[in-house]
Amino acid sequence: MVQAWTEQIIIPTYEIGEPEKNPMFLEKRIYQGSSGVVYPHPVIEKIGDEKVDKQYEAIFLENDFIKIMILPQLGGRIQMAYDKIQQRHFVYYNQVIKPALVGLIGPWVSGGIEFNWPQHHRPSTFELVDFLIKENKDGSKTVWINEVEIMFHTKGMAGFTLYPDKAYLEIKGKLYNRTFFPQTFLWWANPAVKVNDYYQSVFPPDVHAVFDHGKRDVSSFPIAKGKYYKVDYSPGTDISWYKNIPVPTSYMAIHSHYDFIGGYEHDTQAGVLHVADHHISPGKKQWTWGNGNFGHAWDKNLTDEDGPYIEIMTGVFTDNQPDFSWIQPNEEKIFTQYFMPYSKAGMIKNATKEAMLNMELQANEMSLKVYTSALYQQAHILFYYQNNIFWEDVFDISPAKVF
């Protein structure tokens, strides 16, 4: 059963300052490698020092596996995503709204899942968006978030759907150019994940190199062997581990034939995975403030008690930032992304929205782990070697019972 409702909640909040009366014209400013123009948005240049209890209208979506909280007053971001089976937040849950002047027009907050559109970071991060709760014939429920953005007048919608018997969140994006002119846009879904020395990003096994923004620099992956972001990683450092990256660092997969990206907590044996058609959603990126003094200072700037995080970012129609895509007059672009928790399966080697597989070979032993996002009774697990069945088993597999 899926439930959807609205509720007034209280979140400790550092208030933002008043907008400038005269919007700044920032055409010459470079932001995230692209134009920093914001007109007709005003720019906010001050964050309050005092924390107050502030009321927000929250939208909740919940089934037997997952509970989601969405905040329309903060651009429709997913503020909380909770794995009910493992009793953990599978995206970073920042329990305070503590903005810093990181966004395109000023305030930006860490945590949850932010949707960067039509520019990065989203101009309407601190603005109210419309929403609608819809009950579907199959028993699922969808929360639609809608915005006509004021910079280019294009329309963007995101539909968040939970199904009665599925342990994943489906997000359907719909972008529409209402104008008579071609427009540029980007869409990166930006889930944050809580990290420590036991956290490792999960990239597909065919990702052997990663790019910086604008493809200015390149590094081998996961073992970096040269200089990247002015850090000398020779003779070889595994940069898939958060603990090994000392400075603010981005990396984006050059190319992958796989449909997933995620991260895994080796201490709790749980993680998060994103699944989408790699032909439409090729963007696979990690960002960190760095496991060093600079990064730890930024952790304190953005939260009071919830510690460090990294971002596992997923882009549609592009594999790099700040690369933009075109949307023609009266054109609509539609895409679907899935976010899901998983557990006890380690470093995933392949995944769909239904199942995730990890296979590891060490010496003369092979381990095989399978996680599914729904209950599959008497599931047949077959292992083939040279086109012949080498081994098989039958197992009742579910999000609570990993093979």
Side-chain angles (χ1 to χ4, degrees):
M1 179 179 179
V2 180
Q3 297 176 295
W5 72 97
T6 61
E7 184 178 320
Q8 300 298 317
I9 64 169
I10 301 295
I11 306 177
T13 300
Y14 292 85
E15 296 277 29
I16 61 176
E18 292 294 323
E20 292 291 321
K21 287 184 178 180
N22 300 307
M24 294 175 66
F25 292 83
L26 299 174
E27 289 91 343
K28 304 301 182 183
R29 179 183 62 150
I30 301 300
Y31 179 82
Q32 296 279 336
S34 59
S35 170
V37 59
V38 298
Y39 183 82
H41 285 283
V43 173
I44 295 171
E45 298 182 313
K46 181 171 175 57
I47 304 296
D49 298 323
E50 299 294 327
K51 182 167 56 176
V52 299
D53 286 338
K54 184 174 180 178
Q55 182 171 284
Y56 293 85
E57 182 176 27
I59 313 167
F60 289 91
L61 263 178
E62 183 175 9
N63 65 10
D64 291 340
F65 303 107
I66 294 173
K67 185 176 182 180
I68 306 294
M69 181 174 74
I70 302 162
L71 295 181
Q73 287 162 262
L74 295 183
R77 68 187 298 116
I78 295 174
Q79 183 69 11
M80 183 270 291
Y82 187 72
D83 176 1
K84 295 170 65 175
I85 300 299
Q86 296 300 317
Q87 298 184 3
R88 59 181 289 273
H89 293 98
F90 64 95
V91 298
Y92 180 87
Y93 181 36
N94 196 346
Q95 299 175 77
V96 62
I97 304 300
K98 191 175 185 179
L101 298 178
V102 176
L104 181 64
I105 62 172
W108 178 86
V109 293
S110 64
I113 305 179
E114 178 194 24
F115 301 95
N116 297 293
W117 169 84
Q119 165 68 294
H120 192 99
H121 285 285
R122 184 174 179 170
S124 56
T125 291
F126 265 75
E127 295 178 2
L128 177 67
V129 295
D130 299 328
F131 71 89
L132 173 71
I133 298 175
K134 181 181 179 184
E135 185 170 349
N136 305 310
K137 292 181 179 180
D138 59 2
S140 66
K141 287 186 172 66
T142 302
V143 175
W144 282 102
I145 297 294
N146 171 72
E147 176 192 13
V148 176
E149 53 84 22
I150 63 175
M151 290 172 61
F152 307 108
H153 307 290
T154 53
K155 178 182 177 70
M157 299 175 63
F160 309 113
T161 301
L162 286 185
Y163 294 88
D165 54 355
K166 308 293 184 185
Y168 56 68
L169 171 67
E170 177 186 277
I171 301 176
K172 177 164 285 188
K174 292 186 178 183
L175 310 179
Y176 178 60
N177 183 0
R178 307 160 60 251
T179 75
F180 297 110
F181 306 99
Q183 303 289 357
T184 59
F185 76 95
L186 54 74
W187 176 286
W188 285 77
N190 182 9
V193 290
K194 189 176 181 67
V195 292
N196 57 24
D197 285 351
Y198 303 99
Y199 201 92
Q200 189 174 11
S201 58
V202 179
F203 274 56
D206 64 345
V207 176
H208 301 299
V210 289
F211 274 134
D212 180 22
H213 288 263
K215 302 183 179 180
R216 298 169 300 186
D217 199 1
V218 64
S219 171
S220 56
F221 184 85
I223 307 300
K225 297 181 179 179
K227 283 190 177 181
Y228 191 65
Y229 275 77
K230 300 181 181 179
V231 176
D232 188 355
Y233 289 110
S234 61
T237 304
D238 191 341
I239 59 172
S240 67
W241 289 86
Y242 161 75
K243 65 181 180 181
N244 291 339
I245 305 176
V247 300
T249 303
S250 289
Y251 54 73
M252 286 159 266
I254 287 180
H255 182 73
S256 176
H257 293 285
Y258 290 81
D259 294 335
F260 73 92
I261 180 180
Y264 193 70
E265 302 169 4
H266 288 274
D267 51 349
T268 65
Q269 296 186 59
V272 62
L273 216 70
H274 166 264
V275 173
D277 183 348
H278 70 275
H279 297 97
I280 298 173
S281 179
K284 298 175 171 65
K285 172 191 173 183
Q286 177 180 298
W287 152 259
T288 175
W289 289 105
N291 184 25
N293 291 335
F294 184 87
H296 298 159
W298 268 102
D299 296 336
K300 294 176 181 178
N301 283 343
L302 292 164
T303 188
D304 283 347
E305 57 189 70
D306 292 304
Y309 73 96
I310 63 173
E311 297 167 7
I312 304 292
M313 303 184 66
T314 61
V316 298
F317 307 115
T318 181
D319 64 353
N320 198 269
Q321 292 173 345
D323 290 359
F324 284 75
S325 301
W326 288 99
I327 184 168
Q328 298 301 319
N330 298 313
E331 182 182 7
E332 182 182 48
K333 289 185 179 291
I334 299 176
F335 52 90
T336 305
Q337 300 177 287
Y338 296 90
F339 291 92
M340 63 201 74
Y342 77 99
S343 61
K344 299 179 176 62
M347 300 295 288
I348 297 302
K349 303 302 187 297
N350 205 351
T352 66
K353 69 179 188 296
E354 292 83 14
M356 309 175 193
L357 169 72
N358 183 20
M359 187 169 65
E360 296 179 356
L361 183 65
Q362 292 183 347
N364 294 321
E365 293 184 345
M366 189 198 73
S367 66
L368 179 68
K369 300 176 183 179
V370 182
Y371 171 95
T372 59
S373 57
L375 170 62
Y376 295 93
Q377 293 182 328
Q378 296 293 291
H380 288 255
I381 300 173
L382 307 177
F383 182 89
Y384 287 84
Y385 178 68
Q386 294 183 345
N387 296 323
N388 296 312
I389 297 177
F390 180 75
W391 173 89
E392 61 181 306
D393 199 356
V394 178
F395 193 77
D396 291 339
I397 192 169
S398 73
K401 193 175 181 182
V402 179
F403 179 83

